Amino acid sequence: MEQNPNALSFEFFPPKTEIGKGKLTQIALALKEYNPEYFSVTYGAGGSTREGTIETCKSLIEDVKTKACAHISGIGSTKEDIKELLKIYQNIGVTKLVVLRGDLPSGFGRIGDFPYAINLLKFIKQETNSYFDIEVAAYPEVHPQATNPKNDFDYFIDKVEAGANGAITQFFYQEEVYYEFVNKCTKSGINIPIVPGIMPIHDLKAVIRFADGCGAKIPNNLMQKLNSFEDSQDIIKFGIETIMSLCEKL
């Protein structure tokens, strides 16, 4: 991102069917025309998509001939689990990771050896030195489980000092939120790239659910406008216009 401030990356969720795998490859090939820096692949709660994440990264590297970035979460995992996973990623050519705490799936009680993202980040650095380029999460509107904004930001600083090479923000719909967070980072001496995370708007219920889960705010004027549409295609059209405008400002 330092070399090309206009670089893009696209995020995929691992497909569960053969048809889905084929569609993902087709979409990745189409999006490759925009010269993305990489494609990232998410990791389900408690490692529930582990094999799918590995397989999707391998397919992106081998079939699409592009750089794949694997999300990796520590919650529910042991040190041996993560050691094995890191070796697999090294073997298939993954050199970039998004390191997260992750969530426990419903009814899953084992926290594992990595209760927080920083524990996992330090372990990866210990095991692999600087082999992986590591991105971490940033929450401009504060993590929903944080005790207060100061503690949340101090925790982010800790992740940067532990060796994060960059950060990707949680999604937001007001550009001022991002500006304020970046200015706060600059004043605190943080100089890693802070990449804005962009969430498309295509389904009102889904957006509300995602926002509630991660602490992102949906502005009242945006919510009122989305609620005024009766046709899903109108929501999609308006969502495209809204996100285009946000990206242009950023």
Side-chain angles (χ1 to χ4, degrees):
M1 293 301 294
E2 290 174 317
Q3 295 179 344
N4 180 6
N6 295 316
L8 297 169
S9 66
F10 297 102
E11 181 177 295
F12 288 123
F13 186 84
K16 297 179 180 179
T17 66
E18 290 303 316
I19 293 176
K21 293 173 185 177
K23 286 183 178 179
L24 186 146
T25 299
Q26 291 177 351
I27 293 171
L29 287 169
L31 292 175
K32 189 180 176 183
E33 296 298 317
Y34 295 94
N35 194 31
E37 185 179 358
Y38 59 85
F39 290 100
S40 67
V41 186
T42 61
Y43 197 71
S48 56
T49 66
R50 172 184 156 124
E51 298 308 317
T53 299
I54 294 170
E55 186 178 335
T56 303
C57 286
K58 187 176 181 180
S59 176
L60 287 167
I61 293 169
E62 296 180 355
D63 301 332
V64 184
K65 309 298 182 186
T66 189
K67 186 174 183 179
C69 169
H71 288 215
I72 181 171
S73 64
I75 203 81
S77 297
T78 66
K79 292 180 180 179
E80 290 305 313
D81 293 334
I82 298 300
K83 280 184 182 180
E84 180 186 13
L85 192 55
L86 294 175
K87 288 180 182 178
I88 291 171
Y89 284 140
Q90 287 175 306
N91 288 336
I92 66 175
V94 171
T95 58
K96 191 177 185 70
L97 300 173
V98 178
V99 175
L100 307 163
R101 182 199 70 174
D103 299 312
L104 277 174
S106 178
F108 193 92
R110 182 167 61 90
I111 293 176
D113 293 333
F114 307 99
Y116 299 104
I118 192 168
N119 306 125
L120 178 58
L121 193 161
K122 288 180 177 179
F123 183 76
I124 293 172
K125 287 288 185 181
Q126 173 189 313
E127 291 296 312
T128 64
N129 295 314
S130 298
Y131 178 86
F132 290 105
D133 184 70
I134 293 178
E135 302 277 342
V136 294
Y139 289 82
E141 295 178 288
V142 185
H143 193 285
Q145 296 175 3
T147 53
N148 59 62
K150 182 182 183 303
N151 285 350
D152 191 47
F153 190 70
D154 287 345
Y155 180 62
F156 175 68
I157 292 176
D158 289 343
K159 290 192 290 185
V160 174
E161 293 178 344
N165 303 106
I168 303 171
T169 75
Q170 186 53 263
F171 72 88
F172 54 88
Y173 292 121
Q174 293 175 295
E175 64 274 12
E176 292 83 3
V177 168
Y178 175 74
Y179 302 155
E180 291 172 4
F181 184 78
V182 171
N183 287 335
K184 190 174 181 179
C185 288
T186 301
K187 291 177 181 178
S188 299
I190 295 172
N191 58 11
I192 63 171
I194 310 292
V195 181
I198 305 298
M199 173 67 78
I201 299 173
H202 61 89
D203 180 279
L204 179 55
K205 290 182 180 179
V207 168
I208 293 173
R209 185 173 68 253
F210 291 149
D212 287 344
C214 68
K217 296 179 178 65
I218 303 176
N220 288 334
N221 60 337
L222 177 58
M223 182 63 79
Q224 290 173 2
K225 187 68 176 178
L226 289 170
N227 276 319
S228 70
F229 296 116
E230 296 182 2
D231 190 297
S232 61
Q233 291 304 311
D234 290 335
I235 290 179
I236 292 173
K237 181 179 178 182
F238 173 74
I240 291 172
E241 294 170 352
T242 301
I243 296 304
M244 282 177 61
S245 176
L246 175 62
C247 290
E248 287 171 355
K249 291 171 183 175
L250 293 171

